């Protein structure tokens, strides 16, 4: 009877060994997910995206949810990946060392990617945001039977501007005159025989510009554009 009982205990222990070997009991758990859409992530036990890890042993459970993507983890001492053509869940026990690690989809490496630093390593800072688009300053031009003018948005007569983009709104209230602006890279005008309102977006360059009526030499003005700064 004692011999039979001993054999039974050994048998139970033998059956239990594979189950315990699926992960390291002392390892920290991480979770990776890829798919079904164009998303890939690696998170800690709190559900926070991983950006830095301590050196050590980790159990990384990856859920691959798409036959179009895979999860590929690379870095010092680690190169693990799932297959693109299959789905499923896998657990890797890996040793993380000092350095930078990346996780990508090999089929879409520029769209689906992430990275984290380990130990003393640090991820490079993100690139600075792009500069805001250049503001478009407003100008207003007007021509009547006897006058012509060009003013800033604040109402001051234009004598000098800095290079850049401008939006010029022209009010042509005369059937006998027109508003004609010309200078480096610009040649815009309204019609002589009709009243009109026009809006032009202009890229003004350094140099001299003139505005005039093509029907009257008395109706004219000019300004200069200087390089910024």
């Amino acid at each position: 009877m004692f011999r039979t009982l001993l054999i039974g205990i050994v048998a139970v222990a033998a059956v239990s060994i594979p189950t315990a070997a699926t992960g390291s009991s002392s390892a920290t758990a991480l979770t990776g997910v890829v798919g079904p859409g164009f998303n890939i992530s690696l998170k800690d036990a709190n559900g926070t995206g991983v950006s830095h890890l301590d050196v050590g042993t980790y159990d990384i459970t990856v859920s691959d949810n798409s036959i179009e993507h895979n999860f590929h983890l690379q870095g010092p001492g680690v190169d693990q990946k799932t297959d693109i053509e299959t789905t499923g869940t896998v657990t890797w026990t890996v040793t993380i060392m000092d350095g930078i690690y990346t996780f990508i989809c090999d089929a879409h490496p520029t769209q689906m990617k992430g990275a984290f630093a380990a130990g003393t390593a640090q991820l490079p800072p993100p690139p600075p945001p792009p500069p805001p688009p250049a503001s478009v300053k407003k100008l207003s031009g007007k021509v009547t039977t006897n006058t012509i003018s060009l003013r800033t948005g604040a109402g001051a007569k234009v004598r000098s501007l800095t290079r850049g983009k401008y939006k010029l709104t022209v009010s042509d209230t005369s059937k006998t005159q027109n508003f004609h602006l010309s200078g480096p890279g610009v040649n815009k005008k309204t019609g002589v025989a009709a009243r009109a309102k026009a809006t032009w977006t202009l890229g003004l360059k350094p140099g001299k510009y003139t505005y005039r009526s093509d029907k009257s030499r008395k109706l004219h003005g000019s300004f200069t554009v200087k390089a910024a700064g």
Side-chain angles (χ1 to χ4, degrees), residues 7 9 20 25 29 39 55 82 108 114 120 132 147 179 192 221-223:
I7 293 173
I9 293 173
S25 61
N39 62 82
V55 170
T82 62
H108 310 93
T120 60
T147 64
F179 190 101
V192 173
S222 66
F223 63 94

Side-chain angles (χ1 to χ4, degrees), residues 136-150:
V136 179
K137 300 175 184 178
K138 294 182 179 181
L139 302 174
S140 59
K142 185 175 182 180
V143 61
T144 68
T145 303
N146 300 310
T147 64
I148 191 168
S149 64
L150 180 64

Side-chain angles (χ1 to χ4, degrees), residues 52-58 96-97 117-119:
H52 187 275
L53 293 177
D54 294 331
V55 170
T57 302
Y58 292 83
I96 299 296
M97 300 182 287

Side-chain angles (χ1 to χ4, degrees), residues 118-134:
T120 60
Q122 297 291 330
L123 289 174

Side-chain angles (χ1 to χ4, degrees), residues 134-141 161 164-170 179 181 184-189 197-205 209 223:
S135 60
V136 179
K137 300 175 184 178
K138 294 182 179 181
L139 302 174
S140 59
L161 298 173
K165 285 189 176 182
Y166 291 82
K167 181 175 287 187
L168 170 58
T169 301
V170 174
F179 190 101
L181 174 67
V186 174
N187 188 20
K188 296 283 190 179
K189 59 183 175 180
K197 189 170 185 178
T199 299
W200 305 321
T201 299
L202 310 170
L204 300 184
K205 304 175 182 179
Y209 289 79
F223 63 94

Side-chain angles (χ1 to χ4, degrees), residues 10 59 121 130 217 223:
V10 172
D59 285 338
R217 294 182 179 181
F223 63 94

Side-chain angles (χ1 to χ4, degrees), residues 143-147 172-179 190-196 212-217 219:
V143 61
T144 68
T145 303
N146 300 310
T147 64
D172 182 347
T173 64
S174 172
K175 287 189 175 182
T176 58
Q177 310 292 347
N178 74 329
F179 190 101
T190 59
V192 173
R195 297 186 180 95
R212 66 184 186 275
S213 169
D214 293 323
K215 285 297 183 178
S216 174
R217 294 182 179 181
L219 303 183

